[in-house]
Amino acid sequence: RALVVCGIDDVEVQALVNDLNEALGAYGRTIELERRSLQRLGDADAPQRLAEELDAGGCDLLVVAGVNPVYDRPDGRAWAERLSRVPSLVVVTDRLDETAARALAVAASTHPLAAWEDQTPVEGLYCLRQPTTSP
């Protein structure tokens, strides 16, 4: 049993990964197509749309939760500049990171290892995640 995964939204790379999984015999064994995965259902174009809105000055209040664009984005310096122009930046995070350092207010969140969570990783499968550490 084997699996090759892809963490980027590049159609050519994803096609190559699909070909590799086919060659490995992963379909029907490691990869089940009968139940749709509900993980990583983000919108890859959303950060660019937000950047355009911020660049146009169209945002008075921005709440950033669970992400650190100043550190994680390839254009982090540009994000730092954008966020500095938002009059009310609120960051929800489990640590004082590069984005939180620019915030008007920081709201504490629980680290994923210290939190209860419900998940539906694939259709029809419902899970609870129990904390493994104390908050």
Side-chain angles (χ1 to χ4, degrees):
R1 299 184 128 211
L3 176 67
V4 177
V5 296
C6 175
I8 59 174
D9 286 338
D10 182 314
V11 175
E12 291 180 20
V13 174
Q14 291 174 356
L16 176 61
V17 168
N18 288 339
D19 290 342
L20 290 170
N21 281 315
E22 181 68 36
L24 291 168
Y27 288 99
R29 294 179 63 199
T30 309
I31 300 173
E32 296 178 10
L33 297 178
E34 296 78 37
R35 292 190 292 179
R36 186 172 75 109
S37 172
L38 300 176
Q39 302 170 84
R40 297 186 58 110
L41 294 177
D43 179 352
D45 297 326
Q48 182 58 38
R49 288 194 305 271
L50 177 60
E52 291 167 4
E53 185 175 345
L54 294 175
D55 289 343
C59 183
D60 293 325
L61 168 66
L62 179 64
V63 178
V64 177
V67 295
N68 182 5
V70 174
Y71 180 81
D72 292 330
R73 300 286 303 173
D75 55 345
R77 287 191 179 131
W79 277 94
E81 174 60 31
R82 284 181 187 107
L83 295 176
S84 71
R85 293 191 306 264
V86 176
S88 299
L89 175 64
V90 177
V91 176
V92 181
T93 182
D94 65 345
R95 69 196 75 206
L96 291 175
D97 58 30
E98 294 79 3
T99 301
R102 289 158 172 73
L104 172 68
V106 178
S109 67
T110 306
H111 187 278
L113 292 177
W116 286 92
E117 187 175 300
D118 60 294
Q119 299 174 328
T120 306
V122 294
E123 286 186 73
L125 179 63
Y126 304 97
C127 307
L128 289 176
R129 185 176 73 197
Q130 181 176 343
T132 56
T133 63
S134 296

